[in-house]
Amino acid sequence: MTYEAMAADVRQFITEHKLEDVSILGHSMGGKVAMTLALSPSPLNLANLIISDIAPTRMSLSSSFKRYLGAMAHIADPASNIRTREEADLALKAEENDLGVRQFLLTNLTVPSRQSNETVKFKIPVDILTDAIADIGSFPYTPDWPHKWRGRTLVVKGAKSDYINNTNLPVFRAFFPKMQFEVLDTGHWVHAEKPNEFKKIFVDFILSQR
């Protein structure tokens, strides 16, 4: 599970569907996938690149990310006998007090009918994500990579998040010379915490080229 492989999946989708004037928006892991696609040796002719609260650097994942995955694995384990969204939220609350973050993490939850004997499941492969923690924290390119993305780029940072900081901002500018930078008063989950404000920023950015 590498960023090169995920970027190749996106490239194939765009190519197969003959999409044009494409704007790519990615948050966190999705942001690294989007940046990998833009910086690849044979980049697509993207119209806009929009990155939300992640940097093009290699880093160790925060402890909260690992805790979330552990809690989600516990919730999805049939032995936990969790059958409702309310029970799942209560289990997740042991690792995260913020209701908004919990609701965001539980958007991938599948809840069985009341008549079923099944327990809740996640649509995403929690086990694969857990095994790929080292890959998730990585990034395929270093600042001396010869390919730069010189297209329109918007970077949105959560003010309370440290994923983008003064140390890695120069790396951003090296990879993406035309980047524009915006900050919202959020943590890492920018689009979940300030959805309307986030939408306005990236929609205004896309429309500004027309």
Side-chain angles (χ1 to χ4, degrees), residues 33-97:
V33 173
M35 290 186 285
T36 300
L37 179 65
L39 293 170
S40 66
S42 301
L44 292 169
N45 187 24
L46 301 174
N48 297 284
L49 178 67
I50 303 167
I51 307 302
S52 177
D53 207 58
I54 197 68
T57 55
R58 298 168 183 174
M59 65 183 77
S60 298
L61 294 183
S62 67
S63 59
S64 62
F65 188 90
K66 299 173 185 177
R67 292 200 314 272
Y68 294 155
L69 285 175
M72 292 165 75
H74 168 73
I75 290 168
D77 185 351
S80 300
N81 198 33
I82 294 176
R83 299 176 183 273
T84 67
R85 185 172 297 275
E86 291 75 18
E87 291 173 344
D89 180 67
L90 184 61
L92 189 57
K93 191 174 182 179
E95 300 296 343
E96 177 55 62
N97 286 324

Side-chain angles (χ1 to χ4, degrees), residues 56 148 168-181:
K148 313 301 179 187
N168 56 43
L169 265 177
V171 180
F172 252 122
R173 299 191 187 281
F175 279 134
F176 309 103
K178 293 185 178 180
M179 67 167 275
Q180 297 181 36
F181 189 60

Side-chain angles (χ1 to χ4, degrees), residues 118-177:
E118 296 183 357
T119 56
V120 299
K121 299 177 182 177
F122 282 97
K123 298 174 185 177
I124 58 173
V126 176
D127 55 339
I128 293 177
L129 290 172
T130 301
D131 292 340
I133 281 180
D135 288 329
I136 293 171
S138 185
F139 190 70
Y141 307 124
T142 55
D144 58 354
W145 180 245
H147 301 281
K148 313 301 179 187
W149 167 250
R150 302 185 185 279
R152 287 168 49 84
T153 305
L154 172 66
V155 177
V156 183
K157 169 182 167 54
K160 301 170 187 174
S161 168
D162 59 3
Y163 280 93
I164 299 175
N165 53 59
N166 290 332
T167 300
N168 56 43
L169 265 177
V171 180
F172 252 122
R173 299 191 187 281
F175 279 134
F176 309 103

